[in-house]
Amino acid sequence: MGAAQAAAARHLRDQPRDRGALTVTSLETPQRTLTLTETGPARRGTRPDEVVVAVSPAFGDTFTQTIVGVPHAEVLRQLMAGIEEQGVGVRIVRVWATADLAAISHVAAKLSGSGISVGLLSRGTTMIHQKDLARLSNLELFPQSPLLDAEVFRAIGSNAAQYAKGESPQPVPTRNDQMARPRWQAKAALLHLKEFECIRDGAGPVELEATIERAAG
């Protein structure tokens, strides 16, 4: 890593936070702010053409970017765009009671009017789930979070929307890097522990309003 990249990486780590209005920065995308506002308990949807995106306890709050620095603002923006481009609605919820991806995704699938959800951990690990499947099953799983970028998140959103419409899309191509696991394992473990510290035992899922804006300046 060169001096300029190292300085940029330090800049990313040092981004200020302001009580829920989280300023996040990408080296490749414009600065955007992400604000996640709780609007009440999450309820079962009635629209058959919706996908529920469920985020983990620390997503967009304690953490503001994935394990490889993709801003959470960009993750949600791309997911939502991929869903809406298919003409399907999207709701966002936060699951407080667990940091287990399968559990988060399954809870969201049961809240979804279409029965389709996308679950997200703060480090970027993602899953598409369906309410009629067993909790530990899924439609598509993206376990190697270091390999997930904006393009992949948009494709995940698109596929989730197609499942919601009753279609059978080709699975999003899975990237594979045998060195990703050993390279990122230690950081992934630390993020995992921190995510679990943010769990609120007994708390129900809540509806979120996501506001993503270009940062001033």
Side-chain angles (χ1 to χ4, degrees):
M1 177 181 293
Q5 290 174 302
R10 286 195 298 274
H11 177 67
L12 282 176
R13 289 196 298 271
D14 296 340
Q15 283 299 300
R17 298 177 52 205
D18 183 17
R19 300 179 65 82
L22 309 174
T23 300
V24 290
T25 305
S26 167
L27 295 174
E28 299 178 351
T29 58
Q31 292 185 4
R32 289 186 172 85
T33 60
L34 168 64
T35 304
L36 296 174
T37 305
E38 292 188 11
T39 60
R43 303 191 183 283
R44 175 84 162 81
T46 57
R47 290 181 53 182
D49 59 342
E50 71 167 3
V51 171
V52 172
V53 175
V55 299
S56 58
F59 186 98
D61 187 28
T62 301
F63 296 125
T64 59
Q65 58 188 25
T66 70
I67 192 169
V68 291
V70 180
H72 286 172
E74 187 66 9
V75 172
L76 276 186
R77 192 175 77 91
Q78 294 294 342
L79 272 175
M80 294 167 66
I83 293 169
E84 291 170 348
E85 285 169 354
Q86 292 291 329
V88 172
V90 56
R91 287 191 296 135
I92 302 173
V93 304
R94 188 189 302 282
V95 177
W96 283 113
T98 180
D100 178 87
L101 180 60
I104 290 171
S105 305
H106 201 229
V107 166
K110 290 184 175 180
L111 292 171
S112 172
S114 70
I116 300 296
S117 71
V118 177
L120 269 173
L121 296 183
S122 295
R123 63 179 180 272
T125 314
T126 305
M127 175 184 290
I128 303 176
H129 216 313
Q130 184 177 36
K131 69 174 184 179
D132 296 330
L133 296 176
R135 184 170 64 86
L136 296 180
S137 298
N138 59 74
L139 291 173
E140 294 187 50
L141 171 63
F142 306 89
Q144 290 196 302
S145 54
L147 305 181
L148 304 185
D149 58 17
E151 180 183 1
V152 175
F153 284 116
R154 200 179 191 102
I156 292 171
S158 177
N159 266 23
Q162 291 177 67
Y163 288 122
K165 293 192 293 185
E167 300 175 0
S168 299
Q170 290 294 319
V172 176
T174 302
R175 298 169 180 170
N176 188 35
D177 179 357
Q178 294 183 346
M179 295 305 297
R181 184 178 179 85
R183 184 184 306 154
W184 295 96
Q185 191 169 19
K187 185 175 182 179
L190 290 173
L191 296 178
H192 179 74
L193 290 174
K194 189 65 178 177
E195 184 96 80
F196 267 75
E197 291 176 1
C198 297
I199 289 173
R200 297 182 184 177
D201 290 329
V206 294
E207 205 88 25
L208 296 178
E209 179 180 287
T211 303
I212 301 170
E213 299 177 314
R214 294 282 290 268

